[in-house]
Amino acid sequence: MRKTWAVALKELRQAFRDPLSLGMLIALPTFILLLYGYALNFDVKHVALAVQDRDKSQESRDLVASFVNTPYFDLAADLDAGADFARLTESRRARAILVIPEGFSRELAAGRTADVQMILDGADANTASIVLSYATAIVADANVRILRAAMGSTAGTIVPIDYQPRVWYNPELKSTHFLVPGLIGFILMLTAVVSTALSIAREKERGTMEQLRVAPLGSGHLLFGKTLPYLGISAIATVLILVAARILFGVVIRGPYLDLAIATFLYLVDGLLFGLFISSVSHTQAMAFQAGTVTSMLPAILLSGFVFPIRSMPEVLQYVTYLVPARYYLVILRGIILKGAGLGQFVRELALLTVYGVVVFALASVLRRRKEA
């Protein structure tokens, strides 16, 4: 028994000498619990709603208030006649557009059915389905109020408001058209981070890192030299994934291929540079693999809008999502693939992807110089 305790004590000391691994063993389960508990939320709230009220009557304003006076819709824009709905949805300024035609109040006053149209961004099939049910319930409640006010009861043969939804980009609300682009972003980030993280860690384990340090190479040369091969491999993997998505799932790229290539290049560079950063704080391949997997896989799934709407997350987590490059790439990817939009609609996302790569590269370079010193 004494020998067993001696081995256990020795192992405990080694664990405390490796604070990174110990931290992952202790803090990671708690972190995952908190992240899943707050981020795993299928409720859809604060949907950006644009309104085109051509009637400008008290009745039309009451209908709009029925939508925005709930936690499910936020008024994002008040549109004039002739507004470009496609541009509005492509830039994600609005996820839903409520159109109230002229004569809405006149039809209601005459006891006839008044038409109302709701245009939904169906790129996110799950969110669109939930928003559709919210809008249907709100209009049904408005119909009950109108009938009660006019007849004193809910009885009646005419439905006051005829609600006509129209889904854009994914009219059949196929979940694969929403999930496949998200899977592409997740797979690319995971492979890019892990491949470069293991590359540097492998050099450390084999003892060849010292040879590279004494070679006439700067930190920038070393980092770029380690990144370029995996950038080419990741680019080939991207093409294969897109071809497989087209053949197996029927996901058609509607937007410009060049724009998609530019956005994917920036995203892959960010992932590869983050992998180099992970390798700078990891001493073994096992540690690099664990750290790279956790820091790339969980955020890419939970905090990127891949499955769970960011606007429905707690406010603190919404700020955390700004540190996840997959958040920006998925917006661009779904916009190009599903909506046929160009990069002109995603200048902000492209800029943030660029800033992310510059910051991560700077951090990796600083850590590398400190270790060399």
Side-chain angles (χ1 to χ4, degrees), residues 129-144:
S129 299
I130 297 174
V131 172
L132 202 60
S133 64
Y134 289 160
T136 302
I138 291 172
V139 173
D141 186 63
N143 279 333
V144 170

Side-chain angles (χ1 to χ4, degrees), residues 28 101 127 178 221 226 244 249 261 287 329 332 346 365 373:
L28 184 60
T127 299
F178 165 70
H221 296 100
K226 282 289 185 182
F249 303 105
M287 186 187 301
Y329 180 64
I332 301 173
F346 308 110
S365 299

Side-chain angles (χ1 to χ4, degrees), residues 106-241:
R106 184 173 62 251
E107 295 297 318
L108 291 178
R112 295 189 293 267
T113 298
D115 295 329
V116 170
Q117 186 178 58
M118 171 72 79
I119 297 174
L120 293 175
D121 180 354
D124 183 342
N126 179 62
T127 299
S129 299
I130 297 174
V131 172
L132 202 60
S133 64
Y134 289 160
T136 302
I138 291 172
V139 173
D141 186 63
N143 279 333
V144 170
R145 291 200 306 270
I146 293 171
L147 288 171
R148 282 177 176 171
M151 305 173 62
S153 69
T154 59
T157 58
I158 296 178
V159 177
I161 301 176
D162 183 14
Y163 160 65
Q164 301 175 6
R166 183 181 177 188
V167 181
W168 282 5
Y169 311 121
N170 186 11
E172 297 178 358
L173 293 178
K174 291 184 177 179
S175 58
T176 53
H177 287 182
F178 165 70
L179 292 175
V180 168
L183 283 171
I184 293 173
F186 160 66
I187 293 170
L188 292 181
M189 176 55 64
L190 180 62
T191 54
V193 171
V194 171
S195 62
T196 47
L198 291 177
S199 173
I200 298 293
R202 188 184 306 115
E203 300 282 0
K204 293 179 180 178
E205 283 191 348
R206 295 176 178 176
T208 54
M209 180 56 71
E210 297 301 326
Q211 299 177 9
L212 291 175
R213 287 176 178 173
V214 299
L217 295 172
S219 295
H221 296 100
L222 178 60
L223 295 180
F224 277 119
K226 282 289 185 182
T227 302
L228 285 176
Y230 296 103
L231 179 61
I233 295 171
S234 299
I236 295 173
T238 302
V239 175
L240 294 176
I241 291 172

Side-chain angles (χ1 to χ4, degrees), residues 301-337:
I301 293 177
L302 301 178
L303 300 178
S304 64
F306 171 28
V307 179
F308 311 104
I310 293 176
R311 294 176 67 92
S312 300
M313 296 179 185
E315 189 172 356
V316 174
L317 275 184
Q318 291 187 34
Y319 287 113
V320 174
T321 62
Y322 287 105
L323 302 176
V324 181
R327 166 182 176 151
Y328 314 115
Y329 180 64
L330 292 190
V331 172
I332 301 173
L333 192 63
R334 286 173 176 151
I336 293 175
I337 292 179

